[in-house]
Amino acid sequence: MAQSIYRPGTFVWLVDKEQRWLSGEVKSFAVAEDGRAAITVKNEQGEETTVKGASKDAGAEEGGLPPLQNTAEFRTINDLTRLPHLNEPSILEVIRNRFSDRCLYTYSGIVLIAVNPFADTTSYYAPDVIRSYIGRSREELDPHLFAVAEEAFSTMERTGKAQSIIVSGESGSGKTESAKYIMRYLASVHGHESTGGSSGSSSIEQQILATNPILEAFGNAKTARNDNSSRFGKYIQILFDDHQRIVGARMRTYLLERSRLTFQQPLEGNYHIFYQLCSGASENDRHNLGLDDATTDFRYLGGMPPQPTQAPYTHDFSATCDALEVVGIGEEKRQAIFQLLAGLLHVGNIEIRSKRDTKDATMDEDDVALLRAAALLGIDAKGFAKCTTAKQIDARGEIFSAARTVAQAIGVRDGVAQYIYSCLFDWLAVRVNSSLLSDTEHLEATFIAVLDIYGFEHFEKNSFEQFCINYANEKLQQQFLSHVFKLDQAEYVEEGIPWNAIDFPDNQPCINLIEGKIGVISLLDEESRLAAGTDTSFVDKLNGQLKMPQNKRIFKDHLHGKTAFKIAHYAGDVSYSVDGFLEKNRGTVPEEHLVLLTDTTNAFLLEVIQTGRASVDERTTTQLSKQDPNAGDAPRRGANRKPTQSSVFKSSLVLLMDTLDRTDVHYIRCIKPNEDKQPWKFQSGHVLDQLRACGVLETVKISRAGYPSRMPYEEFAARYSLLLPRHVTRPYLRDPQRLTTVILQRTIGTGDKYHNGRTKIFLRARTLPVLEGIRTEK
Ligand code: ATP
Ligand code: MG
């Protein structure tokens, strides 16, 4: 078999030292003395090398012999699954060729691959492009975000079923931009014509689009990878009535990165809104909020101090204010928000020193930052100083005060600020939701949702955030695999192909390791609830309890077993440094601070705290409450049963998966073609890593397990009838199915290499290459 594929003149892919793929041409084929196939290949430099296969008949899939190249006509094909030779280098070649032809989008079966050009692409999304996609099926036009949006819409229209579009990819790959184009497409094509009622209120489409600048101001920040990086996940549902008109929307947000509020790496920034406020607020406001004299000195803006009245921020500030107005957050509420934000900046500037000759923390009660923060937040300055520098211990009814160290007190100070900010973020989401869905009659309306969620992350140092993000990606990967698998299965059944359980990669063991009864999250929670729990005792617990035979391949030994643990994810191994895990997981503030905050004279802060608590409660209940989470105070939980960050996240993921399962899902995988954000630059190795991480290559592998190539009989007969002499094919020209069988019998023979379906021929992985090989010879 291998001999009929690797004929002289066949083009193959050779891997070089840097793991890049280079072109090679087969010169000769031989069977070596040890019985293995040996082919001699000439590379691009004209040098000849001999490559040996695993056996006489082994092909590229079994390892050994090089993968085959496709003929020129396939090298810019717009759907990867139609490649006769479906292998990594060929996939990469198509995406690269298309990108250099300025095509950003390529299908891989049901997935749309989108490569970020880092260049001006206004013309790609212009109104005439939008118009051209309306009412057209996916096959009719070039791959595009709009084609996916239109497909979701037409499926919803036809079936009445809700749709979800999952946009994933690494930081800076273009998820948020893509999600916005999809939302704009739906709003402009399927929205109401009117721009608002007679009261002058904004149209629902305007309100939906206004969520973007709001969420970006409060949830995006400059990072090393992306100047406008989303530090949270978002699932927004656009609701449609029976006439397929937009009637509202609702959204859920996931896991805002809290630590960014109080610390950023050099050259990274805090949430955009702080810079917008410092630069864009009126002089009077800046003065009243204490932002005028200390602007360059806020500790929380340390990574990237703002320049006052910096043009883009000033402009963005007014855009944020306009968007808030559109969703009904008026001038007065905005002032209350800004007061809170300024309060947080001052909290960061509160000095905490050690008491003379001790390690105990102390604060000056007349510290200007403390007084300003307390005044803006409406809390008691002395009380804040007292409970931040010392903790109250209840020993069988007797209350003791125990001093905190400076580091601990700083941790508490920053924790309070993070807590308030995350409550504010939740408050915004709740407010925006109540504006987007004012009419309860639409609660059950069908929807098209867009999920813009962080892709798999693997940095030099990975912490709690990466752990949660990668856990989310494991769940999404599982959803994706089972979807692809089910679709495949459905086609087999429809075509009458016998369905033998195909071995597809299953990441359930990894998910069990993370969320199982005795898993990383449950052990983390257990440890977080112990007063004496530390990051080290947590990692000891993991090593003690998770090293069982079923976890052997996924929970790996770590060189730094005391400070880190390693999980084998579907997209690669990741080591997590446990430093800070427990604190981040607890994610709440000491009880005394909660009391202090709820005693505030600032009515808005109280509202924000209550909303934040209610949101957490809502997320930890399994069913999404249909009621306004803002209604009524949340039930108080015992101090030891406070929901942890990871358990809140786990519940919200369970809910998300549940929702996704009840919708038809469409997939967009965004790819960042280079690290330095250069326009139109394509780095192959970098792209390949992402194709691997986002599951595109994995699905190629799955399809190999079954019948990866399928072709309607007509198409097959038309392409391959020239393999046989005319007098043989002539009698069957009117019967493509029969002709297909004759061609296959005479070229491939009988056996398990292909199977007849109802309308298509199903071919095993190595059948098509043989046919293509013979065809090239002809
Ligand atoms: P993160 O995970 O950090 O939030 P992301 O995947 O959401 O990243 P985006 O913020 O959408 O990434 O994109 C990063 C930048 O890439 C954008 O600010 C923009 O400059 C550029 N970009 C993204 N998509 C496009 C596009 N379709 N055309 C032109 N430029 C784009
Ligand atoms: Mg983003």
Side-chain angles (χ1 to χ4, degrees), residues 276 280 313-323:
Q276 293 181 6
Y313 287 129
T314 311
H315 170 267
D316 291 350
F317 182 69
S318 62
T320 304
C321 291
D322 291 348

Side-chain angles (χ1 to χ4, degrees), residues 80 95 104-108 111-115 669 671 691 696:
L80 299 173
I95 297 174
L104 308 181
Y105 303 110
T106 306
Y107 293 124
S108 172
V111 178
L112 176 78
I113 298 171
V115 189
R669 304 295 200 217
I671 303 285
L691 290 172
V696 167

